[in-house]
PDB file of all heavy atoms in Angstrom:
ATOM      1  N   GLU R  36     112.251  67.545  41.093  1.00  0.00           N
ATOM      2  CA  GLU R  36     111.158  68.050  40.118  1.00  0.00           C
ATOM      3  C   GLU R  36     111.718  68.866  38.908  1.00  0.00           C
ATOM      4  O   GLU R  36     111.121  68.871  37.888  1.00  0.00           O
ATOM      5  CB  GLU R  36     110.105  68.876  40.931  1.00  0.00           C
ATOM      6  CG  GLU R  36     109.405  68.096  41.974  1.00  0.00           C
ATOM      7  CD  GLU R  36     108.565  66.994  41.491  1.00  0.00           C
ATOM      8  OE1 GLU R  36     107.988  67.034  40.321  1.00  0.00           O
ATOM      9  OE2 GLU R  36     108.475  65.897  42.129  1.00  0.00           O
ATOM     10  N   TYR R  37     112.787  69.609  39.119  1.00  0.00           N
ATOM     11  CA  TYR R  37     113.167  70.660  38.148  1.00  0.00           C
ATOM     12  C   TYR R  37     114.599  70.429  37.540  1.00  0.00           C
ATOM     13  O   TYR R  37     114.866  70.986  36.431  1.00  0.00           O
ATOM     14  CB  TYR R  37     112.998  72.036  38.769  1.00  0.00           C
ATOM     15  CG  TYR R  37     111.642  72.309  39.217  1.00  0.00           C
ATOM     16  CD1 TYR R  37     111.285  72.394  40.544  1.00  0.00           C
ATOM     17  CD2 TYR R  37     110.637  72.572  38.345  1.00  0.00           C
ATOM     18  CE1 TYR R  37     110.023  72.522  41.026  1.00  0.00           C
ATOM     19  CE2 TYR R  37     109.326  72.821  38.772  1.00  0.00           C
ATOM     20  CZ  TYR R  37     109.131  72.820  40.070  1.00  0.00           C
ATOM     21  OH  TYR R  37     107.810  73.005  40.537  1.00  0.00           O
ATOM     22  N   CYS R  38     115.516  69.831  38.342  1.00  0.00           N
ATOM     23  CA  CYS R  38     116.899  69.792  37.919  1.00  0.00           C
ATOM     24  C   CYS R  38     116.953  68.697  36.897  1.00  0.00           C
ATOM     25  O   CYS R  38     116.546  67.510  37.057  1.00  0.00           O
ATOM     26  CB  CYS R  38     117.764  69.441  39.047  1.00  0.00           C
ATOM     27  SG  CYS R  38     119.585  69.491  38.614  1.00  0.00           S
ATOM     28  N   ARG R  39     117.619  68.985  35.804  1.00  0.00           N
ATOM     29  CA  ARG R  39     117.839  67.975  34.639  1.00  0.00           C
ATOM     30  C   ARG R  39     118.921  67.041  34.897  1.00  0.00           C
ATOM     31  O   ARG R  39     118.963  65.899  34.301  1.00  0.00           O
ATOM     32  CB  ARG R  39     118.077  68.666  33.380  1.00  0.00           C
ATOM     33  CG  ARG R  39     119.383  69.341  33.256  1.00  0.00           C
ATOM     34  CD  ARG R  39     119.576  69.931  31.846  1.00  0.00           C
ATOM     35  NE  ARG R  39     121.016  69.901  31.477  1.00  0.00           N
ATOM     36  CZ  ARG R  39     121.638  70.989  31.057  1.00  0.00           C
ATOM     37  NH1 ARG R  39     121.000  72.094  30.827  1.00  0.00           N
ATOM     38  NH2 ARG R  39     122.890  70.964  30.917  1.00  0.00           N
ATOM     39  N   PHE R  40     119.912  67.453  35.699  1.00  0.00           N
ATOM     40  CA  PHE R  40     121.175  66.645  35.815  1.00  0.00           C
ATOM     41  C   PHE R  40     120.886  65.285  36.481  1.00  0.00           C
ATOM     42  O   PHE R  40     121.509  64.276  36.003  1.00  0.00           O
ATOM     43  CB  PHE R  40     122.173  67.416  36.664  1.00  0.00           C
ATOM     44  CG  PHE R  40     122.676  68.588  35.799  1.00  0.00           C
ATOM     45  CD1 PHE R  40     122.228  69.920  36.179  1.00  0.00           C
ATOM     46  CD2 PHE R  40     123.544  68.431  34.848  1.00  0.00           C
ATOM     47  CE1 PHE R  40     122.612  71.032  35.433  1.00  0.00           C
ATOM     48  CE2 PHE R  40     123.970  69.589  34.070  1.00  0.00           C
ATOM     49  CZ  PHE R  40     123.508  70.795  34.333  1.00  0.00           C
ATOM     50  N   PRO R  41     120.057  65.021  37.470  1.00  0.00           N
ATOM     51  CA  PRO R  41     119.795  63.652  37.939  1.00  0.00           C
ATOM     52  C   PRO R  41     119.280  62.767  36.813  1.00  0.00           C
ATOM     53  O   PRO R  41     119.625  61.564  36.869  1.00  0.00           O
ATOM     54  CB  PRO R  41     118.804  63.855  39.129  1.00  0.00           C
ATOM     55  CG  PRO R  41     118.988  65.190  39.512  1.00  0.00           C
ATOM     56  CD  PRO R  41     119.407  66.079  38.303  1.00  0.00           C
ATOM     57  N   ARG R  42     118.611  63.275  35.881  1.00  0.00           N
ATOM     58  CA  ARG R  42     118.143  62.434  34.800  1.00  0.00           C
ATOM     59  C   ARG R  42     119.143  62.195  33.800  1.00  0.00           C
ATOM     60  O   ARG R  42     119.151  61.156  32.978  1.00  0.00           O
ATOM     61  CB  ARG R  42     116.850  63.115  34.167  1.00  0.00           C
ATOM     62  CG  ARG R  42     115.666  63.119  35.130  1.00  0.00           C
ATOM     63  CD  ARG R  42     114.423  63.649  34.407  1.00  0.00           C
ATOM     64  NE  ARG R  42     114.565  65.201  34.061  1.00  0.00           N
ATOM     65  CZ  ARG R  42     114.292  66.053  34.967  1.00  0.00           C
ATOM     66  NH1 ARG R  42     113.906  65.827  36.174  1.00  0.00           N
ATOM     67  NH2 ARG R  42     114.388  67.418  34.540  1.00  0.00           N
ATOM     68  N   GLU R  43     120.135  63.105  33.617  1.00  0.00           N
ATOM     69  CA  GLU R  43     121.172  62.945  32.612  1.00  0.00           C
ATOM     70  C   GLU R  43     122.444  62.236  33.170  1.00  0.00           C
ATOM     71  O   GLU R  43     123.144  61.625  32.336  1.00  0.00           O
ATOM     72  CB  GLU R  43     121.652  64.371  32.130  1.00  0.00           C
ATOM     73  CG  GLU R  43     120.567  65.006  31.356  1.00  0.00           C
ATOM     74  CD  GLU R  43     120.932  66.494  31.003  1.00  0.00           C
ATOM     75  OE1 GLU R  43     122.149  66.810  31.171  1.00  0.00           O
ATOM     76  OE2 GLU R  43     120.148  67.238  30.411  1.00  0.00           O
ATOM     77  N   ILE R  44     122.735  62.287  34.408  1.00  0.00           N
ATOM     78  CA  ILE R  44     123.922  61.671  35.031  1.00  0.00           C
ATOM     79  C   ILE R  44     123.384  60.608  36.006  1.00  0.00           C
ATOM     80  O   ILE R  44     123.025  60.986  37.091  1.00  0.00           O
ATOM     81  CB  ILE R  44     124.821  62.660  35.639  1.00  0.00           C
ATOM     82  CG1 ILE R  44     125.142  63.801  34.702  1.00  0.00           C
ATOM     83  CG2 ILE R  44     126.062  62.014  36.171  1.00  0.00           C
ATOM     84  CD1 ILE R  44     125.815  64.980  35.381  1.00  0.00           C
ATOM     85  N   GLU R  45     123.513  59.318  35.654  1.00  0.00           N
ATOM     86  CA  GLU R  45     122.985  58.244  36.509  1.00  0.00           C
ATOM     87  C   GLU R  45     123.872  57.993  37.750  1.00  0.00           C
ATOM     88  O   GLU R  45     123.391  57.604  38.830  1.00  0.00           O
ATOM     89  CB  GLU R  45     122.808  57.032  35.645  1.00  0.00           C
ATOM     90  CG  GLU R  45     121.654  57.175  34.703  1.00  0.00           C
ATOM     91  CD  GLU R  45     121.427  55.936  33.891  1.00  0.00           C
ATOM     92  OE1 GLU R  45     121.767  54.810  34.382  1.00  0.00           O
ATOM     93  OE2 GLU R  45     120.737  56.055  32.861  1.00  0.00           O
ATOM     94  N   ASP R  46     125.211  58.080  37.607  1.00  0.00           N
ATOM     95  CA  ASP R  46     126.090  57.712  38.721  1.00  0.00           C
ATOM     96  C   ASP R  46     126.119  58.876  39.749  1.00  0.00           C
ATOM     97  O   ASP R  46     126.357  59.994  39.440  1.00  0.00           O
ATOM     98  CB  ASP R  46     127.530  57.494  38.121  1.00  0.00           C
ATOM     99  CG  ASP R  46     128.519  57.204  39.251  1.00  0.00           C
ATOM    100  OD1 ASP R  46     128.294  56.367  40.043  1.00  0.00           O
ATOM    101  OD2 ASP R  46     129.548  57.857  39.172  1.00  0.00           O
ATOM    102  N   THR R  47     125.803  58.529  40.996  1.00  0.00           N
ATOM    103  CA  THR R  47     125.598  59.497  42.018  1.00  0.00           C
ATOM    104  C   THR R  47     126.867  60.334  42.250  1.00  0.00           C
ATOM    105  O   THR R  47     126.869  61.493  42.448  1.00  0.00           O
ATOM    106  CB  THR R  47     125.127  58.887  43.332  1.00  0.00           C
ATOM    107  OG1 THR R  47     123.908  58.217  43.048  1.00  0.00           O
ATOM    108  CG2 THR R  47     124.913  59.850  44.441  1.00  0.00           C
ATOM    109  N   ASP R  48     127.986  59.546  42.365  1.00  0.00           N
ATOM    110  CA  ASP R  48     129.279  60.268  42.590  1.00  0.00           C
ATOM    111  C   ASP R  48     129.641  61.205  41.409  1.00  0.00           C
ATOM    112  O   ASP R  48     130.053  62.304  41.754  1.00  0.00           O
ATOM    113  CB  ASP R  48     130.474  59.240  42.726  1.00  0.00           C
ATOM    114  CG  ASP R  48     130.306  58.363  44.033  1.00  0.00           C
ATOM    115  OD1 ASP R  48     129.762  58.896  44.925  1.00  0.00           O
ATOM    116  OD2 ASP R  48     130.901  57.302  44.045  1.00  0.00           O
ATOM    117  N   SER R  49     129.372  60.787  40.251  1.00  0.00           N
ATOM    118  CA  SER R  49     129.646  61.687  39.117  1.00  0.00           C
ATOM    119  C   SER R  49     128.685  62.871  39.044  1.00  0.00           C
ATOM    120  O   SER R  49     129.068  64.050  38.820  1.00  0.00           O
ATOM    121  CB  SER R  49     129.418  60.963  37.748  1.00  0.00           C
ATOM    122  OG  SER R  49     130.415  59.934  37.666  1.00  0.00           O
ATOM    123  N   LEU R  50     127.489  62.636  39.519  1.00  0.00           N
ATOM    124  CA  LEU R  50     126.455  63.709  39.552  1.00  0.00           C
ATOM    125  C   LEU R  50     126.947  64.814  40.514  1.00  0.00           C
ATOM    126  O   LEU R  50     126.915  65.990  40.181  1.00  0.00           O
ATOM    127  CB  LEU R  50     125.139  63.195  40.015  1.00  0.00           C
ATOM    128  CG  LEU R  50     123.967  64.145  40.255  1.00  0.00           C
ATOM    129  CD1 LEU R  50     123.611  64.957  39.012  1.00  0.00           C
ATOM    130  CD2 LEU R  50     122.761  63.458  40.826  1.00  0.00           C
ATOM    131  N   HIS R  51     127.299  64.427  41.666  1.00  0.00           N
ATOM    132  CA  HIS R  51     127.847  65.335  42.644  1.00  0.00           C
ATOM    133  C   HIS R  51     129.033  66.107  42.219  1.00  0.00           C
ATOM    134  O   HIS R  51     129.180  67.301  42.387  1.00  0.00           O
ATOM    135  CB  HIS R  51     127.979  64.662  44.028  1.00  0.00           C
ATOM    136  CG  HIS R  51     126.736  64.421  44.757  1.00  0.00           C
ATOM    137  ND1 HIS R  51     126.009  65.326  45.558  1.00  0.00           N
ATOM    138  CD2 HIS R  51     125.903  63.258  44.736  1.00  0.00           C
ATOM    139  CE1 HIS R  51     124.997  64.821  45.990  1.00  0.00           C
ATOM    140  NE2 HIS R  51     124.789  63.603  45.484  1.00  0.00           N
ATOM    141  N   GLU R  52     129.980  65.340  41.687  1.00  0.00           N
ATOM    142  CA  GLU R  52     131.219  65.948  41.176  1.00  0.00           C
ATOM    143  C   GLU R  52     130.986  66.946  40.049  1.00  0.00           C
ATOM    144  O   GLU R  52     131.647  67.960  40.045  1.00  0.00           O
ATOM    145  CB  GLU R  52     132.220  64.847  40.771  1.00  0.00           C
ATOM    146  CG  GLU R  52     133.606  65.354  40.390  1.00  0.00           C
ATOM    147  CD  GLU R  52     134.481  64.181  39.958  1.00  0.00           C
ATOM    148  OE1 GLU R  52     134.456  63.149  40.615  1.00  0.00           O
ATOM    149  OE2 GLU R  52     135.247  64.401  38.980  1.00  0.00           O
ATOM    150  N   LEU R  53     130.167  66.568  39.070  1.00  0.00           N
ATOM    151  CA  LEU R  53     130.002  67.315  37.965  1.00  0.00           C
ATOM    152  C   LEU R  53     129.027  68.470  38.092  1.00  0.00           C
ATOM    153  O   LEU R  53     129.035  69.450  37.321  1.00  0.00           O
ATOM    154  CB  LEU R  53     129.582  66.416  36.719  1.00  0.00           C
ATOM    155  CG  LEU R  53     130.507  65.401  36.266  1.00  0.00           C
ATOM    156  CD1 LEU R  53     129.917  64.467  35.312  1.00  0.00           C
ATOM    157  CD2 LEU R  53     131.788  66.001  35.663  1.00  0.00           C
ATOM    158  N   HIS R  54     128.080  68.297  38.966  1.00  0.00           N
ATOM    159  CA  HIS R  54     127.061  69.422  39.122  1.00  0.00           C
ATOM    160  C   HIS R  54     126.685  69.802  40.559  1.00  0.00           C
ATOM    161  O   HIS R  54     126.916  70.967  40.864  1.00  0.00           O
ATOM    162  CB  HIS R  54     125.725  68.969  38.450  1.00  0.00           C
ATOM    163  CG  HIS R  54     124.626  69.899  38.552  1.00  0.00           C
ATOM    164  ND1 HIS R  54     124.652  71.209  38.031  1.00  0.00           N
ATOM    165  CD2 HIS R  54     123.499  69.949  39.321  1.00  0.00           C
ATOM    166  CE1 HIS R  54     123.614  71.884  38.295  1.00  0.00           C
ATOM    167  NE2 HIS R  54     122.905  71.211  39.180  1.00  0.00           N
ATOM    168  N   CYS R  55     126.343  68.861  41.343  1.00  0.00           N
ATOM    169  CA  CYS R  55     125.827  69.133  42.651  1.00  0.00           C
ATOM    170  C   CYS R  55     126.753  69.959  43.535  1.00  0.00           C
ATOM    171  O   CYS R  55     126.327  70.883  44.304  1.00  0.00           O
ATOM    172  CB  CYS R  55     125.234  67.948  43.414  1.00  0.00           C
ATOM    173  SG  CYS R  55     124.013  67.032  42.665  1.00  0.00           S
ATOM    174  N   ASP R  56     128.000  69.701  43.501  1.00  0.00           N
ATOM    175  CA  ASP R  56     129.000  70.322  44.338  1.00  0.00           C
ATOM    176  C   ASP R  56     129.112  71.871  43.986  1.00  0.00           C
ATOM    177  O   ASP R  56     129.538  72.672  44.773  1.00  0.00           O
ATOM    178  CB  ASP R  56     130.371  69.676  44.211  1.00  0.00           C
ATOM    179  CG  ASP R  56     130.398  68.307  44.932  1.00  0.00           C
ATOM    180  OD1 ASP R  56     129.463  68.024  45.714  1.00  0.00           O
ATOM    181  OD2 ASP R  56     131.414  67.546  44.592  1.00  0.00           O
ATOM    182  N   ASP R  57     128.722  72.199  42.710  1.00  0.00           N
ATOM    183  CA  ASP R  57     128.821  73.599  42.326  1.00  0.00           C
ATOM    184  C   ASP R  57     127.425  74.217  41.996  1.00  0.00           C
ATOM    185  O   ASP R  57     127.335  75.285  41.318  1.00  0.00           O
ATOM    186  CB  ASP R  57     129.677  73.714  41.040  1.00  0.00           C
ATOM    187  CG  ASP R  57     131.169  73.346  41.250  1.00  0.00           C
ATOM    188  OD1 ASP R  57     131.608  73.742  42.421  1.00  0.00           O
ATOM    189  OD2 ASP R  57     131.822  72.717  40.455  1.00  0.00           O
ATOM    190  N   CYS R  58     126.411  73.609  42.476  1.00  0.00           N
ATOM    191  CA  CYS R  58     125.023  73.991  42.199  1.00  0.00           C
ATOM    192  C   CYS R  58     124.766  75.362  42.720  1.00  0.00           C
ATOM    193  O   CYS R  58     124.990  75.709  43.926  1.00  0.00           O
ATOM    194  CB  CYS R  58     124.042  72.993  42.737  1.00  0.00           C
ATOM    195  SG  CYS R  58     122.283  73.521  42.523  1.00  0.00           S
ATOM    196  N   ALA R  59     124.294  76.235  41.861  1.00  0.00           N
ATOM    197  CA  ALA R  59     123.922  77.661  42.274  1.00  0.00           C
ATOM    198  C   ALA R  59     122.842  77.725  43.392  1.00  0.00           C
ATOM    199  O   ALA R  59     122.981  78.518  44.274  1.00  0.00           O
ATOM    200  CB  ALA R  59     123.541  78.545  41.078  1.00  0.00           C
ATOM    201  N   LEU R  60     121.882  76.805  43.332  1.00  0.00           N
ATOM    202  CA  LEU R  60     120.819  76.834  44.297  1.00  0.00           C
ATOM    203  C   LEU R  60     121.402  76.440  45.642  1.00  0.00           C
ATOM    204  O   LEU R  60     121.096  77.238  46.676  1.00  0.00           O
ATOM    205  CB  LEU R  60     119.717  75.808  43.951  1.00  0.00           C
ATOM    206  CG  LEU R  60     118.633  75.616  44.966  1.00  0.00           C
ATOM    207  CD1 LEU R  60     117.838  76.952  45.219  1.00  0.00           C
ATOM    208  CD2 LEU R  60     117.822  74.431  44.725  1.00  0.00           C
TER     209      LEU R  60
END
Side-chain angles (χ1 to χ4, degrees):
E36 300 295 325
Y37 303 103
C38 184
R39 71 174 207 231
F40 293 102
R42 292 184 291 276
E43 293 178 4
I44 305 170
E45 293 183 19
D46 177 50
T47 303
D48 290 335
S49 295
L50 174 64
H51 285 274
E52 184 180 320
L53 296 171
H54 176 68
C55 299
D56 291 343
D57 294 322
C58 178
L60 173 66

